[in-house]
Amino acid sequence: MRRYVSVAALLAALPLLAFGPQERTALTQWALLIGVSDYINFADVEGGDLPGAEHDARRIRDVLVMKGYVPEQNIRLLLNEAATRAAIQESVAGWLAQNARPGDNVTIFFAGHGSQMWDESGDEDDGLDETIAPADVMAASTENDISDDTFNEWLGALPTDNVVVILDNCNSGTGTRDVTPFSRGRLLARDMNQVERPTAARRALPGQQDDTGFDATATRVLELAAAQPFQVAVDAYFPATDGAEAFHGGAFTTFLVQQLWKASSEITYEEVFEGAHEALKRNRFQQDPYLSTEVSLKDRALFFVEGATRGVAQVSLPVTTVSGASVQLGAGLGLGITPGSVFETESGARLIVESVGQRTTAARLVSGSVREGDQARLRAHRYGESPLLVSVAAIETRLGSSLGAALSGATGVRLVEQEDAFAHLIVRRGGEELRVVGSDGFVRHAGIGVDASGIERLAAALRKEAASKRLADMDNPAQGFGVRLEMLGGKTSFGIGEEIGFTVESERDGYLTLVDLGTDGTVAVLLPNAETRSVRVSAGRAVTFPAPGGALVFTALEPAGTGLVRAFVTQEPLDIAIRAGEEYASGGEELAGRVAAGVMSAAGELEGAVRLDSWGTASVVYDIQN
C-alpha cells in the first residue's frame, strides 16, 4: 500500500493567507478537492481501493488553475490517507467557513467511494442514510462515514450561498452491472447486516429504495453527482493510444474536466453538465449524472462572483518548461489531447504534441520561439484510427470464429482474443444466450442466441456500435463557434409513432450536415439529401428539419433502443454520394467513416492535423420506447 504525507504535514505546507476574509474588498473563489484512491482499511480490490480517484482530484485542480476559475492559493487538495473524516470536517467547517465570505464561490469536489449507514434521524424511507467514505472509513462500523445529514451540517457553516458540490461516487446499485477488468463501482464493499444498528434507527424494509441519493443540502447548494440514486458511478480504465499513456479516472469526472477545459467564459453549470452527460452517452457509459435543477445557481456562469474577471476562454495549456525545441505543457491525460495535435502561442510559435503523460504534455517546437509561462492554444487535432475493440476471450473459439466471419469487411470492429487486453465491449455467454457488456460493466445487448441467426444479430449490433463510436469520436475539442442541436420540443425520449424533428442553430455561417444513427444500426445522412444537395445556415438563425407544415414527416419507428444524431457545420458542403433512386445516403460504419472523412477534408489541415476553428458540431442521444 502506498504511503502519503500526514494531514498535519499537508496543512502545514499550505500557504498562509495574507489577510482575513473580512479585510478583503473583492469577492473570490475557493475549492476543496478530495480524492481517495488508497483506503487505509481496504485492499486493492473491487469495492476497495480506486485507481482513478486521486487523479480525478488532481485533474480538477489543474483545470481550475489553468482556466483561472479559482486562484491557486485558494485551493486545498486532500488525497488518500490525508482525506480522513476529521480532515474533511476541518476543511469544510473550519478552513472554508473561516476564509470564505458572503458572495464568494465555494466548490467542493469528492472522488471516492460512497456507502450507506443506518438512519438515526428518521428522514429516510428505507432506514438508511447515504454517505461518502473518507480514507479512514471502516468495514464493520460507520463511525467515520460522512452522512448526508452530517455533510449538510458542515455546509451550513459556510457564510455564502454560492456553493457547488461535485460528487463522483455511488451509494448503491452494484447488482445492475457485471464486474469487468476495466472499471470499478465507486461503492464501498460493506455488508450492512454486519454493521450495528443504533437504537434510534428504523429497520430497512426489504425491497424498498430511497430515491433521494446523497443529498448535498437544500436549495442554497448546487449539486452535480456522477450517477442517479441506485446507479453505479464507475472508476474507469481509459486505454493507451500511440504516444499517450493509459489512465484511470471517474467516467463522469473525466468528461466533466474536458467540458470545463473547453468552456467559454460565459457558459453555465447546466450547459457544462449537459455536455458531460452527452459525452458519457456517446462513449458507451450507462450512468446518468444528476444535477439539482431546482437551484438557480445552475444558470450562472461557472465559478461566478460579482466583480471578478472571467478566466481563460480559449482551449489552451501553459508552457511549463522549455529546453531547445522540447517543450512541456502543463496538463496531460484526461483532456483528450492526442499526439500529432498542434498548439500555437499568441506570438505565433507552433508546437506539435509528441506524447501525453499523466500531468504533462510533451511537444516539439516547429516554428517561432516560446518561453515559460506562455499560453499555447489548441489549433488542430489528430484523429487517429480507433476501431471498436470487442473481447471474445470469454466465449468458445468456434463462436468467436463464427462472429469474425459474420463481421467480414467490418473494418471498424476488431475482435480481441487475449483475456487481459482492453476492450470497449465484452461478449459473455450464459447458458444458450450471449450478452454484450460495456467496459463499465453494464449490459448493452442481451438475449442473443448462440446459433447462426444469433451470431448474425450480434454482428449487426457490433456494426452499429462501431458506427456510433466513429461518429462519437468526431468531437471538436476546441471549436471556435457554438452549434446547438435539439430534438422536437426538447425531448430525447419518444414512443413508437411519435413525430421527431430537429432544430439546429450555429453561431457562424456555414453548411449543415445532419447524421442519424438509428436504433436499428442504420446510419442515415438526413441533410444534405437527394432533394437538397446543400443546406446553408446563417449565424444565429435556427434551421428546423423537417420544415413545419411540409410534406416530409419523421416518426419514431421500431425497434426500440438508443439512437444518436450529430450535426456538423462546415465552411464547405460535404459531398456525400446518394445511390440512384434513394432519398438519403444510408449505410453503416462505412458511411459513418465517409462522413468523418468529409468533415476532416472540409476543415482543412494544419501541420498534418485537422483544423478546429473552421467547423463545429453538436450531438444528441435519444431513446425510442415501445
Side-chain angles (χ1 to χ4, degrees), residues 181-193:
F182 313 118
S183 72
R184 296 182 179 186
R186 289 188 165 181
L187 177 71
L188 199 67
R190 168 187 279 160
D191 182 358
M192 288 303 299
N193 292 320

Side-chain angles (χ1 to χ4, degrees), residues 43-61:
D44 182 16
V45 295
E46 174 85 12
D49 287 349
L50 292 170
E54 175 188 347
H55 298 311
D56 287 347
R58 291 188 183 278
R59 290 180 190 120
I60 289 284
R61 178 202 171 277

Side-chain angles (χ1 to χ4, degrees), residues 18 41 49 275 289 326 363 371 392 410 415 421 472 480 526:
N41 300 311
D49 287 349
S326 297
R371 298 178 298 178
V392 292
L415 298 185
L526 305 180

Side-chain angles (χ1 to χ4, degrees), residues 170-188:
C170 52
N171 299 105
S172 187
T174 52
T176 64
R177 63 184 287 270
D178 285 358
V179 174
T180 79
F182 313 118
S183 72
R184 296 182 179 186
R186 289 188 165 181
L187 177 71
L188 199 67

Side-chain angles (χ1 to χ4, degrees), residues 309-380:
T309 57
R310 299 301 296 153
V312 178
Q314 71 256 20
V315 180
S316 61
L317 295 179
V319 174
T320 56
T321 61
V322 180
S323 178
S326 297
V327 179
Q328 293 285 333
L329 303 177
L333 297 170
L335 295 182
I337 301 167
T338 57
S341 295
V342 180
F343 283 81
E344 205 169 70
T345 67
E346 290 186 4
S347 66
R350 190 166 291 172
L351 309 166
I352 298 180
V353 174
E354 293 190 320
S355 63
V356 185
Q358 286 286 349
R359 304 291 306 283
T360 61
T361 294
R364 174 171 50 88
L365 180 66
V366 294
S367 64
S369 61
V370 66
R371 298 178 298 178
E372 292 182 13
D374 285 351
Q375 287 288 327
R377 183 176 181 179
L378 181 63
R379 293 291 312 280

Side-chain angles (χ1 to χ4, degrees), residues 87-279:
I88 295 172
Q89 179 178 6
E90 188 282 327
S91 295
V92 178
W95 179 69
L96 284 174
Q98 293 167 11
N99 289 296
R101 57 176 286 184
D104 280 357
N105 175 269
V106 171
T107 299
I108 300 174
F109 172 83
F110 175 83
H113 279 305
S115 190
Q116 292 177 317
M117 64 187 297
W118 296 112
D119 173 30
E120 297 185 27
S121 62
D123 64 347
E124 300 287 358
D125 290 339
D126 63 354
L128 294 168
D129 264 336
E130 285 68 36
T131 73
I132 57 177
D136 55 348
V137 72
M138 296 177 283
S141 169
T142 57
E143 180 181 350
N144 290 339
D145 283 57
I146 302 171
S147 71
D148 48 5
D149 292 338
T150 298
F151 196 54
N152 285 345
E153 291 177 10
W154 298 352
L155 292 175
L158 300 178
T160 178
D161 290 343
N162 189 358
V163 179
V164 179
V165 174
I166 305 170
L167 302 172
D168 199 331
N169 62 277
C170 52
N171 299 105
S172 187
T174 52
T176 64
R177 63 184 287 270
D178 285 358
V179 174
T180 79
F182 313 118
S183 72
R184 296 182 179 186
R186 289 188 165 181
L187 177 71
L188 199 67
R190 168 187 279 160
D191 182 358
M192 288 303 299
N193 292 320
Q194 302 301 313
V195 178
E196 183 180 359
R197 295 183 180 90
T199 57
R202 294 170 296 135
R203 186 179 182 89
L205 299 178
Q208 199 170 28
Q209 292 185 343
D210 170 26
D211 291 331
T212 61
F214 189 93
D215 181 16
T217 193
T219 56
R220 65 188 295 266
V221 174
L222 178 66
E223 179 186 354
L224 289 78
Q228 296 288 330
F230 295 93
Q231 274 192 331
V232 173
V234 295
D235 189 298
Y237 174 81
F238 293 84
T241 56
D242 290 341
E245 301 173 14
F247 69 96
H248 290 269
F252 174 66
T253 297
T254 296
F255 295 115
L256 179 65
V257 166
Q258 292 178 13
Q259 293 296 316
L260 290 172
W261 184 47
K262 67 182 184 180
S264 66
S265 59
E266 299 304 318
I267 199 168
T268 67
Y269 286 103
E270 185 169 30
E271 289 170 320
V272 163
F273 171 84
E274 292 297 339
H277 190 182
E278 194 68 37

Side-chain angles (χ1 to χ4, degrees), residues 308-564:
T309 57
R310 299 301 296 153
V312 178
Q314 71 256 20
V315 180
S316 61
L317 295 179
V319 174
T320 56
T321 61
V322 180
S323 178
S326 297
V327 179
Q328 293 285 333
L329 303 177
L333 297 170
L335 295 182
I337 301 167
T338 57
S341 295
V342 180
F343 283 81
E344 205 169 70
T345 67
E346 290 186 4
S347 66
R350 190 166 291 172
L351 309 166
I352 298 180
V353 174
E354 293 190 320
S355 63
V356 185
Q358 286 286 349
R359 304 291 306 283
T360 61
T361 294
R364 174 171 50 88
L365 180 66
V366 294
S367 64
S369 61
V370 66
R371 298 178 298 178
E372 292 182 13
D374 285 351
Q375 287 288 327
R377 183 176 181 179
L378 181 63
R379 293 291 312 280
H381 185 75
R382 176 65 63 86
Y383 293 89
E385 292 295 326
S386 181
L388 179 75
L389 302 177
V390 180
S391 174
V392 292
I395 61 175
E396 298 96 314
T397 301
R398 66 175 183 83
L399 292 177
S401 298
S402 297
L403 179 59
L407 287 168
S408 176
T411 58
V413 183
R414 182 181 301 166
L415 298 185
V416 177
E417 297 178 351
Q418 297 81 11
E419 189 171 352
D420 58 347
F422 175 80
H424 301 103
L425 300 174
I426 303 167
V427 182
R428 288 177 172 168
R429 179 173 180 172
E432 293 304 304
E433 290 186 345
L434 300 173
R435 69 183 185 279
V436 179
V437 178
S439 63
D440 62 354
F442 286 95
V443 176
R444 296 185 63 83
H445 307 278
I448 302 171
V450 295
D451 56 6
S453 63
I455 294 298
E456 287 296 335
R457 178 185 165 195
L458 175 58
L462 295 179
R463 285 192 174 95
K464 173 188 173 181
E465 293 276 6
S468 178
K469 183 179 187 302
R470 192 69 183 90
L471 292 176
D473 288 348
M474 277 306 298
D475 199 22
N476 186 328
Q479 63 190 50
F481 60 96
V483 177
R484 181 178 61 86
L485 170 64
E486 289 185 353
M487 302 191 76
L488 185 69
K491 295 177 61 175
T492 57
S493 183
F494 302 87
I496 302 296
E498 276 194 78
E499 188 174 337
I500 296 178
F502 312 93
T503 299
V504 183
E505 186 174 337
S506 171
E507 293 180 348
R508 185 183 295 179
D509 293 351
Y511 290 90
L512 172 63
T513 301
L514 192 63
V515 187
D516 175 44
L517 176 70
T519 59
D520 64 351
T522 300
V523 177
V525 180
L526 305 180
L527 290 174
N529 51 49
E531 183 177 315
T532 308
R533 292 304 298 155
S534 65
V535 181
R536 180 76 175 171
V537 293
S538 300
R541 297 186 62 181
V543 173
T544 300
F545 180 76
L552 185 61
V553 176
F554 287 155
T555 58
L557 302 175
E558 293 182 325
T562 300
L564 167 73

Side-chain angles (χ1 to χ4, degrees), residues 566-591:
R566 184 133 220 175
F568 299 98
V569 176
T570 53
Q571 292 180 332
E572 301 293 333
L574 303 193
D575 184 16
I576 304 295
I578 302 173
R579 289 190 289 264
E582 296 190 356
E583 189 169 358
Y584 306 101
S586 63
E589 50 153 334
E590 187 272 336
L591 178 57

